[in-house]
Amino acid sequence: TTLMESIDPGEAVALLNAYLDEMIAIAFRHEGTLDRIVGDAVAIMFSAPVPQADHRARALACALDMDAFASRYAADLQAKGIRFGKTRIGIHSGEVIVGNFGGSTMFDYRALGDPVNTASRLESVNKHLGTNICLSEATLDGCPPETVVRPVGRLVLKGKSKALQVYEPVTADRAARYAPLADYRAAYDLMAQESADGDAAALSPALAVFSELAEKFPDDPLLGLHRDRLRAGSHGDLIVMSEK
C-alpha cells in the first residue's frame, strides 16, 4: 500500500513483478508447487502433486533463500529511495486436502486445510514479533538436526485455541547482530520455567537477563519482545496473540 502511494503505479507493478518472478523461481528450484498468488503474497506447497519425503526440509531451505533474496531486493530499492516493504514468511506442515477447487466454472489447484491457515497466521505474526520467518515445530521436526534455530515461544495464534511451539531460523547475517545463541537459549529456558500464572507483581528472574541482553544487542527483536512482555507482568513462554 505504501509503495503504491509513493511511486507511479506502472513502476510499482514492474518492481512487484520482478520480485514475484524471483520468489517463484526460488520455489521452483526447491521443487515447490505454486499454490497461488494473492496480491504481493506467494503461497508455496511441497509434497504435492508429487510426494517428497523431505518436504519439510525443502520448505525451510526455500524460505531461507526467499528471505535472503527479498532482504537484498528491498535494501537495494530502499537505497534508491523506494520504500519496498519487508517480506515475512510462515512455515507449517500438516495434512491438507489438495485438488481442484472452484466449482463448475473453473479449476483452481490448491491446498485447503487448517495447516494452510496456520502457515498464513505464522506469516502475519512476524510483524508483532519483529522476525522475518516463523517456523513451526511440526516443520522443524523434519529438518536436519544441524538446523540452527531459536525458540520464539508457545504461540496461541489469533483464532486458535491450542499453543504452537514456534522457532526463528538463525542465519549467518542475523547471528552477527543477535545475542549469542547460548545466551539467548539460557534466558529463554529461565523464562519458560517461570509459571504463566505467576504473581505479576513479582520480579521475573528472566526479566533481568533479557533486559541486560537487549541493552547489549538492541537489533535483536526477540530480546526486546520478551523483555517488554516480562516487564508488563507476563510469565513463561506462552504468548496469546490478540491480532493476526
Side-chain angles (χ1 to χ4, degrees):
T1 301
T2 302
L3 179 65
M4 287 296 190
E5 284 183 340
S6 60
I7 66 174
D8 176 77
E11 184 180 357
V13 169
L15 293 174
L16 182 58
N17 279 338
Y19 166 83
L20 291 174
D21 276 345
E22 183 57 24
M23 293 291 272
I24 294 169
I26 291 170
F28 287 171
R29 286 199 290 272
H30 289 276
E31 300 185 326
T33 298
L34 176 62
D35 181 298
R36 61 193 180 277
I37 300 173
V38 182
D40 59 357
V42 178
I44 304 297
M45 60 181 170
F46 291 85
S47 210
V50 179
Q52 297 164 320
D54 60 346
H55 60 91
R56 290 177 288 186
R58 286 177 183 269
L60 177 56
C62 177
L64 291 173
D65 282 353
M66 284 181 160
D67 176 62
F69 159 71
S71 297
R72 291 194 308 270
Y73 190 75
D76 289 345
L77 291 178
Q78 287 163 7
K80 300 174 184 176
I82 300 173
R83 294 180 292 174
F84 198 85
K86 175 189 283 191
T87 295
R88 302 181 179 95
I89 302 174
I91 318 171
H92 186 49
S93 303
E95 185 174 305
V96 298
I97 298 173
V98 181
N100 289 319
F101 299 92
S104 60
T105 57
M106 64 175 290
F107 282 136
D108 184 13
Y109 184 78
R110 60 186 298 187
L112 292 178
D114 184 64
V116 178
N117 301 332
T118 299
S120 177
R121 287 284 190 269
L122 288 175
E123 179 275 320
S124 61
V125 82
N126 280 292
K127 64 178 176 284
H128 303 296
L129 304 175
T131 51
N132 283 17
I133 304 176
C134 275
L135 170 71
S136 75
E137 187 171 46
T139 302
L140 180 62
D141 284 346
C143 295
E146 65 271 17
T147 301
V148 182
V149 298
R150 59 182 188 168
V152 172
R154 294 181 298 121
L155 271 57
V156 179
L157 301 169
K158 176 71 173 178
K160 300 288 185 179
S161 58
K162 297 181 179 179
L164 184 71
Q165 182 66 57
V166 176
Y167 297 85
E168 179 192 24
V170 181
T171 57
D173 65 313
R174 290 190 177 89
R177 295 181 285 111
Y178 287 3
L181 194 56
D183 291 348
Y184 176 85
R185 287 185 180 275
Y188 183 91
D189 290 344
L190 183 62
M191 175 181 67
Q193 292 167 8
E194 297 177 352
S195 170
D197 300 320
D199 181 2
L203 179 64
S204 161
L207 173 57
V209 180
F210 273 111
S211 296
E212 182 179 354
L213 288 173
E215 187 173 343
K216 291 181 180 178
F217 303 95
D219 294 331
D220 188 328
L222 291 184
L223 295 179
L225 171 77
H226 292 308
R227 176 201 59 200
D228 294 344
R229 288 180 54 251
L230 297 173
R231 188 177 285 170
S234 294
H235 290 74
D237 62 343
L238 182 69
I239 306 174
V240 180
M241 305 303 304
S242 60
E243 299 179 78
K244 293 182 181 179

